Amino acid sequence: MKKVYIETMGCQMNKSDTERMLGILEHFGYTATEDEKSADLLIINTCSIRQLSEDKAFSKIGLWGKRKRKGADIKIGFCGCVAKQKGAEIFKRAPYVDFVMAPDEIAQLPEILGCGSAPDTAPKRSKSVNAWIPIMNGCNNFCTYCIVPYTRGRERSREPEVILKEAREAIAQGFKEITLLGQNVDSFIGGENYKLPRLLRDLNAIEGKFRIRFVTSYPTDITDELIAAAAELDKVCEYFHIPMQSGSTEILKAMNRRYTREEYVQICAKVRTAIPDVTITSDFIAGFPGETEEQFLETLSVMDELELDYCNTAAYSPREKTVAAAWTDKFLSKEVKNERLARLNEHTRKNCLKSNKKFVGRTLEILAEGFEEGVLTGRTRNNKIVHIPCERDLTGEFLDVKITGATTWYLRGALQA
Ligand code: SF4
């Protein structure tokens, strides 16, 4: 039997794409392996958000190329966003690569490998409690720093029936949580008057005990109707990931984000008012071209004002083809970017701890996700990680846990009888 090893970089959408590739490959007789040395087919599923990630991908396939040159009988595939962005250029840089495949070409994988035509296969999901289900792909927003509209193309939503079928199958297979994925998940359009709130309602109506999440939300696509659905539907978790990117309206404008600081603050206020205990997480960029110290301080102040529960942070990294990459005269030095990034992280840590401490003494429902050395790890509905001393592996179960302590990154808890 042939074996395939896939190394996945980047976001959940890539993880979901990997599951789709594995589903197809399994149909053609491949089994997935975690041991790259034993694989006949090696695939790297790349991310182009940052230069570092792209460099890592080339360094990884460089090692595979060395093995091939020494006579190993392996096939090497280069997939994902860097594949879309660079295309055939990749063969020049890495001539040992057998095929380059963009994310929107995954269905053609069998033809690419010369083993047949694309079957209608289910994704091969990893053995976790959570099933990722993409509902839309691509982006129409063209933020000036972002490569995604060039790598993932324009927005395309999947058919509601297909999504609902996949969700029903995942629940029947025992998955306890469904996460709907999309670059701008809240601009999903499944037909006339069929937007994300209606999809959530239809998913919520599927029988069984499970949770529903959705990521990532574009701030101004969060409608009152969506907030109301999230507040009302019992299976939809109290969790919103809403990237803000900067707390300065001027920088937001330069980023081509379609909202002001005040509008973002107002959206978060609406979400917090409608949904008690909601966790709101965000993304921020440190050192966007031309960002002044004052403008950067506006980012720190909005993080504190909104008490954002967690923030992904990154120093600005110019990406080829994007508008901001041409503003070289406005680029900030590496030192300034890293120093600002450190301050963003410090504020993230402070707000994270503050947010976690609020739950000490409360009893929360967790979904157990893993067990190691006498510690069960689970997640609350509002996406807080909880570690619980436990004698048995209860992965996959919903449990009531009394929160006994809080650290910056997780809560501690005790099982309730
Ligand atoms: S909304 Fe902006 S940051 Fe998000 S994927 Fe689209 S272009 Fe990139």
Side-chain angles (χ1 to χ4, degrees), residues 187-203:
S187 51
F188 164 82
I189 301 186
E192 210 181 325
N193 295 323
Y194 199 111
K195 294 191 178 168
L196 184 55
R198 179 141 166 228
L199 179 64
L200 292 177
R201 283 178 199 284
D202 285 348
L203 287 165

Side-chain angles (χ1 to χ4, degrees), residues 49 138-149 183-184 218 245 257:
I49 287 283
C139 180
N140 298 343
N141 289 327
F142 289 91
C143 301
T144 53
Y145 54 84
C146 182
I147 192 76
V148 167
Q183 266 83 25
N184 298 300
Y218 189 87
Q245 310 298 3
R257 302 287 288 180

Side-chain angles (χ1 to χ4, degrees), residues 36-225:
E36 53 184 279
K37 296 235 162 67
S38 71
D40 309 276
L41 172 62
L42 294 139
I43 296 178
I44 191 142
N45 193 4
T46 58
C47 166
S48 59
I49 287 283
R50 279 185 265 289
Q51 186 63 43
L52 186 67
S53 172
E54 188 180 317
D55 295 344
K56 270 192 194 160
F58 278 103
S59 122
K60 184 80 204 187
I61 59 158
L63 296 175
W64 296 347
K66 249 188 211 161
R67 278 178 53 203
K68 201 170 177 180
R69 278 196 297 275
K70 282 188 187 156
D73 185 15
I74 50 175
K75 257 193 181 160
I76 301 175
F78 196 106
C79 309
C81 290
V82 181
K84 176 80 180 182
Q85 187 197 357
K86 306 255 175 209
E89 244 181 74
I90 291 162
F91 293 117
K92 279 192 217 145
R93 184 161 167 191
Y96 43 83
V97 163
D98 292 279
F99 64 93
V100 171
M101 184 179 74
D104 50 6
E105 293 168 343
I106 289 176
Q108 292 152 36
L109 184 55
E111 284 101 333
I112 292 170
L113 289 171
C115 48
S117 57
D120 182 19
T121 49
K124 166 113 178 97
R125 300 194 189 281
S126 59
K127 286 192 196 79
S128 84
V129 295
N130 180 31
W132 307 102
I133 302 187
I135 64 166
M136 61 80 66
N137 210 329
C139 180
N140 298 343
N141 289 327
F142 289 91
C143 301
T144 53
Y145 54 84
C146 182
I147 192 76
V148 167
Y150 306 93
T151 54
R152 293 270 172 180
R154 297 299 87 74
E155 287 177 4
R156 296 159 324 271
S157 295
R158 296 177 75 206
E159 295 287 325
E161 299 72 47
V162 178
I163 299 166
L164 290 164
K165 180 172 170 269
E166 242 179 72
R168 275 188 222 105
E169 283 168 0
I171 300 306
Q173 284 164 18
F175 286 92
K176 297 291 164 58
E177 190 169 280
I178 280 175
T179 302
L180 307 177
L181 292 180
Q183 266 83 25
N184 298 300
V185 76
D186 44 359
S187 51
F188 164 82
I189 301 186
E192 210 181 325
N193 295 323
Y194 199 111
K195 294 191 178 168
L196 184 55
R198 179 141 166 228
L199 179 64
L200 292 177
R201 283 178 199 284
D202 285 348
L203 287 165
N204 199 74
I206 297 175
E207 281 199 16
K209 167 114 179 132
F210 65 97
R211 292 174 172 180
I212 304 169
R213 300 184 190 276
F214 53 91
V215 286
T216 294
S217 303
Y218 189 87
T220 44
D221 290 334
I222 299 177
T223 57
D224 291 350
E225 200 192 343

